[in-house]
Amino acid sequence: MQPVKLFSKGVVPGYRRGQRNQDSSISLIKIEGVTTKADVDFYLGKRVAYVYRGQKSRKNKITKRDTKLRVIWGKIRRAQGSSGAVRATFRTNLPPKTIAT
C-alpha cells in the first residue's frame, strides 16, 4: 500500500492586490509542489489551516488539554495566475505577520 500525503505546506506571499489597493480578506498561497494552473485543480475547495503559536495556553475544545497552538481555518477558492498560486479566504483575515519576506 502506498503512503498517502495528508497535507501540503505552503507560503503566504501576500494578499490579493492591485497597484494601489489590497484586499486583506483574500490571501494568496503558494503551495509546495504546485507549479501550474492544472495542478491547482486538485486543491480547489479544500480546507486550509494556518497554525500558529499563541502567547498564553488555552484549553483545546476537542482534547480538553492546555495548548498554545491555535488555528485559523480557510478554504481555497480559485487559482491566481499561471504559476500555481491560489486564492484563499479564511474565517478571520490572516494577520500581516503571515506574509513571507
Side-chain angles (χ1 to χ4, degrees), residues 4-83:
V4 178
K5 189 174 184 182
L6 296 177
F7 67 93
S8 296
K9 290 186 177 184
V11 177
V12 180
Y15 300 122
R16 179 175 182 232
R17 56 170 298 193
Q19 188 174 4
R20 291 173 185 84
N21 301 320
Q22 77 176 11
D23 184 2
S24 58
S25 65
I26 301 173
S27 299
L28 303 180
I29 300 176
K30 184 70 178 123
I31 302 170
E32 216 174 61
V34 178
T35 55
T36 64
K37 205 169 191 175
D39 296 342
V40 170
D41 290 343
F42 172 77
Y43 292 97
L44 296 180
K46 298 276 193 302
R47 292 282 170 197
V48 186
Y50 172 69
V51 181
Y52 64 101
R53 192 172 297 275
Q55 202 166 10
K56 294 183 178 178
S57 294
R58 285 188 186 166
K59 189 164 280 198
N60 185 305
K61 293 177 183 176
I62 298 168
T63 62
K64 308 294 187 219
R65 285 186 275 175
D66 283 348
T67 179
K68 288 186 177 183
L69 292 177
R70 315 253 167 82
V71 178
I72 300 175
W73 287 99
K75 190 180 205 179
I76 294 179
R77 299 295 181 176
R78 59 172 291 174
Q80 165 72 25
S82 59
S83 63

